[in-house]
Amino acid sequence: MDNRPIGFMDSGVGGLTVVKTAQKLLPNEEIIFIGDEARMPYGPRPTAEVVEFSRQMASFLITKNNIKALVIACNTATNAALAVLQAELPIPVIGVILPGAIAANRQTKNQKIGVIATLGTIKSEAYPKALAEINTKLRAYPVACQEFVEIAEKNELHTTAAQKVMNEKLAEFRQDQIDTLILGCTHFPLLEEGIQAAIGPDVTLVDPGVETVHQLIEILTKQALQHAEGPKAQDQYYSTGNIKNFEEIARTFLNQDLRVEEVKID
Ligand code: DGL
């Protein structure tokens, strides 16, 4: 048993989609989330910079909150910094890309898998590589949709303008006959309805956060790190900026009367 909290980090509100799954599947665990709103988006940034920012966020969670495990609830940061943080930190560190690829491989029937993600994740080819490692028969169809991050951050999920952007971007898949689409940015499950409407009902959306939380459960069980049954401390939310907007999105999406605390990180 280990009653320390689990840390989750992202560039912004996207990581909350992984937190929501964790709160559902791991109700006994205390969660500390930090979003790097002051420096988001991460997608267009150079890899080295994302590595440095990820180090700083992880260090905040470890030194201030004494976390027992870290979930990089961001695909861009997973691609840039997972191996680095796994090597440097004394606690288990888990990312979202491999779990996303595993879930998509399980889901697809025709082996044609679309991937939408940030500029950085698409440029790195992290998903095509992960899919190829799991199953050489899989074909990946990657499309960068950095614009979707802004839609989520502005909380404009259901506007006509947002739907138009989603329709236009996802039209790129029209010829590909994909049957599965990986939401390869943790912001994208916030846009799930619009994405599904744009891509059509025959394509199954995969949220890598779900498989990530299942892998987290496995790690906690194997390493005897689970929180004891019974009462736990309240989950905590931090952001490096944009507090009001962040708090509003978090409250609506997680359906909780939560507070977000501003922190300085550098
Ligand atoms: N939510 C992040 C991801 O999963 C990144 C969004 C951004 O900051 O560009 O990649």
Side-chain angles (χ1 to χ4, degrees):
M1 293 292 162
D2 188 330
N3 286 357
R4 289 177 296 165
I6 302 169
F8 288 70
M9 64 187 218
D10 181 35
S11 63
V13 297
L16 295 171
T17 62
V18 190
V19 167
K20 189 172 184 168
T21 303
Q23 287 175 334
K24 191 169 146 212
L25 300 181
L26 285 167
N28 271 329
E29 297 293 338
E30 183 194 346
I31 287 169
I32 313 282
F33 176 79
I34 179 161
D36 197 4
E37 286 283 341
R39 302 185 292 192
M40 74 89 53
Y42 280 7
R45 290 184 183 275
T47 307
E49 196 170 38
V50 178
V51 171
E52 208 35 50
F53 290 175
S54 302
R55 266 200 189 108
Q56 293 165 355
M57 306 260 281
S59 157
F60 167 80
L61 288 167
I62 289 177
T63 53
K64 178 138 197 305
N65 297 284
N66 191 24
I67 56 169
K68 62 183 171 188
L70 173 66
V71 179
I72 307 179
C74 172
N75 292 262
T76 314
T78 295
N79 169 59
L82 176 64
V84 175
L85 295 183
Q86 281 178 330
E88 291 178 357
L89 300 180
I91 54 170
V93 182
I94 176 170
V96 284
I97 293 179
L98 187 59
I102 290 170
N105 178 50
R106 203 186 298 130
Q107 181 60 46
T108 186
K109 299 214 162 40
N110 71 1
Q111 277 78 47
K112 294 181 180 183
I113 298 174
V115 182
I116 51 173
T118 63
L119 285 167
T121 305
I122 294 298
K123 220 168 99 192
S124 72
E125 298 185 353
Y127 269 104
K129 286 177 198 159
L131 289 166
E133 260 170 45
I134 292 165
N135 177 353
T136 50
K137 290 204 181 85
L138 298 176
R139 262 193 88 180
Y141 298 83
V143 174
C145 294
Q146 187 67 44
E147 305 88 331
F148 293 9
V149 174
E150 203 184 322
I151 294 173
E153 286 287 339
K154 285 190 176 157
N155 208 3
E156 289 174 349
L157 312 178
H158 305 292
T159 64
T160 316
Q163 190 61 53
K164 190 164 170 266
V165 173
M166 289 184 261
N167 291 348
E168 279 169 12
K169 285 305 289 191
L170 300 183
E172 292 194 35
F173 291 108
R174 213 168 272 151
Q175 313 300 325
D176 301 332
Q177 294 169 324
I178 58 165
D179 71 351
T180 303
L181 179 64
I182 299 177
L183 305 180
C185 168
T186 52
H187 282 68
F188 296 176
L190 289 160
L191 301 164
E192 194 175 346
E193 248 174 70
I195 290 172
Q196 188 76 70
I199 197 79
D202 298 337
V203 176
T204 304
L205 306 186
V206 168
D207 171 2
V210 178
E211 180 64 23
T212 302
V213 173
H214 282 293
Q215 293 203 0
L216 174 64
I217 293 171
E218 230 179 274
I219 291 170
L220 296 177
T221 312
K222 267 197 197 140
Q223 302 192 23
L225 289 173
Q226 301 109 313
H227 192 290
E229 296 279 327
K232 60 156 202 155
Q234 246 191 355
D235 295 345
Q236 288 173 55
Y237 304 87
Y238 296 98
S239 175
T240 57
N242 198 14
I243 296 298
K244 247 188 125 240
N245 192 49
F246 184 96
E247 201 166 64
E248 197 180 307
I249 295 174
R251 282 183 175 169
T252 314
F253 183 66
L254 298 177
N255 199 17
Q256 288 167 34
D257 186 23
L258 54 84
R259 284 258 163 77
V260 177
E261 196 179 313
E262 185 161 0
V263 282
K264 276 222 164 355
I265 277 184
D266 45 38

